[in-house]
Amino acid sequence: MVKLSGVIITYNEEKKIERCLQSLINVTDEIVVVDSFSTDKTEEICKKYNVKFVSQKFLGYVEQKNFAITQASHDYIVSLDGDEALSPELQKSLLKLKSNWTLDGYSANRFNNFCGQWIKHSDWYPDRKMRFFKKGKGEWKGINPHDSFKLYNPKSSAKLKGDILHWNYATYQEFNLKTDKFSSISAQSYYELGKKAPVWKILLNPTWAFLKSYIIRLGFLDGLNGFVICVQTANITFLKYTKLREIILKHKTS
């Protein structure tokens, strides 16, 4: 039977971290929390659960998660964010997997809770995530803040039953603030990769993002919140490219 390390990165997650920890304690053999110097009660709550608590300056979403893996004592990893938790069905799947782990990695659907409503459509479900893997068989990649774990051998994987439960935004205001923050991070990451922001992308990409999530992926079935999510999906795309264009022009003039 393999031993599992639950690995979490955190920053000011006092409202959500306990759910995450409670879902891991009966599944994992160790819990590692890599915290970016939280100023709330995150550390105090974590230490009630006898976790390995590591303080680390935030390196970027991708970089921080790769660092967190290095802090785990065991070779088999369960990776969650502080605002996520394993559903009861997924906990059972992982307990069974411990005695029969044969592949490099396993994924599960992520089920997102937005303003008190579980979202069943648009780009938000099924939101499949690779979160259960063996050390050395892959790494976190992506353009910050959009990280994803990539196996070196994608064929050596399977999907588990159960969901990763994700409480992402409790209010519309929080959603708006995070949209502004994440679009700025994305724009800077795009600039560093040498990406461009022509006018046609600013016009067409947000339009396509809305139509895809609201019509093709049935976001309209989630009612008002489905509409809000799909509008914001378009908005973050629009902001990302307009901010990228602003950065490019700023560097040209300087």
Side-chain angles (χ1 to χ4, degrees):
M1 180 176 289
V2 304
K3 288 191 174 182
L4 297 179
S5 288
V7 176
I8 313 163
I9 67 167
T10 57
Y11 178 70
N12 287 351
E13 291 287 0
E14 66 177 10
K15 294 179 181 179
K16 301 174 182 176
I17 189 62
E18 196 148 21
R19 278 186 301 223
C20 180
L21 297 170
Q22 288 175 348
S23 76
L24 288 171
I25 53 176
N26 293 322
V27 175
T28 60
D29 301 278
E30 168 193 55
I31 299 176
V32 180
V33 175
V34 175
D35 181 75
S36 305
F37 296 96
S38 289
T39 57
D40 64 0
K41 295 181 180 179
T42 297
E43 182 174 2
E44 179 183 331
I45 294 168
C46 287
K47 289 188 173 178
K48 291 195 303 182
Y49 289 85
N50 194 32
V51 306
K52 176 182 177 182
F53 194 88
V54 180
S55 295
Q56 168 62 47
K57 180 182 177 182
F58 188 65
L59 305 170
Y61 291 92
V62 173
E63 297 81 2
Q64 194 83 344
K65 288 188 176 183
N66 280 321
F67 170 80
I69 293 171
T70 69
Q71 302 303 297
S73 303
H74 306 307
D75 288 335
Y76 296 86
I77 306 295
V78 174
S79 180
L80 294 179
D81 291 339
D83 57 0
E84 296 174 337
L86 305 172
S87 71
E89 185 178 16
L90 186 51
Q91 292 177 44
K92 291 177 183 177
S93 295
L94 285 167
L95 288 170
K96 290 180 182 177
L97 183 63
K98 289 178 75 171
S99 59
N100 189 34
W101 189 300
T102 58
L103 301 173
D104 292 347
Y106 296 85
S107 62
N109 288 336
R110 186 167 68 167
F111 200 13
N112 295 283
N113 188 293
F114 175 71
C115 295
Q117 178 183 345
W118 292 104
I119 302 301
K120 300 177 181 178
H121 304 94
S122 71
D123 292 335
W124 283 26
Y125 194 82
D127 183 19
R128 190 167 175 175
K129 300 293 183 183
M130 176 66 61
R131 295 297 187 82
F132 320 104
F133 48 84
K134 187 178 181 181
K135 274 186 186 178
K137 299 298 184 179
E139 61 185 311
W140 287 97
K141 293 185 176 182
I143 300 173
N144 284 320
H146 303 293
D147 52 73
S148 59
F149 192 84
K150 301 295 184 183
L151 294 174
Y152 300 137
N153 178 15
K155 292 183 179 180
S156 184
S157 65
K159 183 169 175 286
L160 298 176
K161 291 182 179 180
D163 291 319
I164 301 166
L165 304 177
H166 182 212
W167 291 266
N168 49 7
Y169 304 111
T171 65
Y172 296 134
Q173 181 182 27
E174 182 185 357
F175 195 20
N176 287 331
L177 291 171
K178 285 291 181 70
T179 295
D180 185 55
K181 175 184 176 182
F182 288 160
S183 62
S184 296
I185 296 171
S186 293
Q188 184 62 41
S189 296
Y190 271 30
Y191 177 77
E192 292 169 2
L193 290 170
K195 291 184 177 289
K196 305 299 181 184
V199 172
W200 68 265
K201 281 191 176 182
I202 294 173
L203 296 174
L204 295 183
N205 285 23
T207 303
W208 169 242
F210 176 80
L211 292 174
K212 182 180 68 172
S213 59
Y214 193 66
I215 304 298
I216 298 175
R217 295 187 176 170
L218 307 179
F220 64 90
L221 293 178
D222 284 310
L224 175 61
N225 281 340
F227 179 73
V228 170
I229 288 166
C230 295
V231 167
Q232 202 71 295
T233 298
N235 188 36
I236 196 169
T237 306
F238 173 76
L239 290 173
K240 175 174 63 181
Y241 281 106
T242 53
K243 289 178 180 181
L244 172 59
R245 189 176 181 87
E246 185 177 47
I247 293 170
I248 292 170
L249 291 173
K250 180 180 177 181
H251 280 81
K252 280 183 178 179
T253 56
S254 62

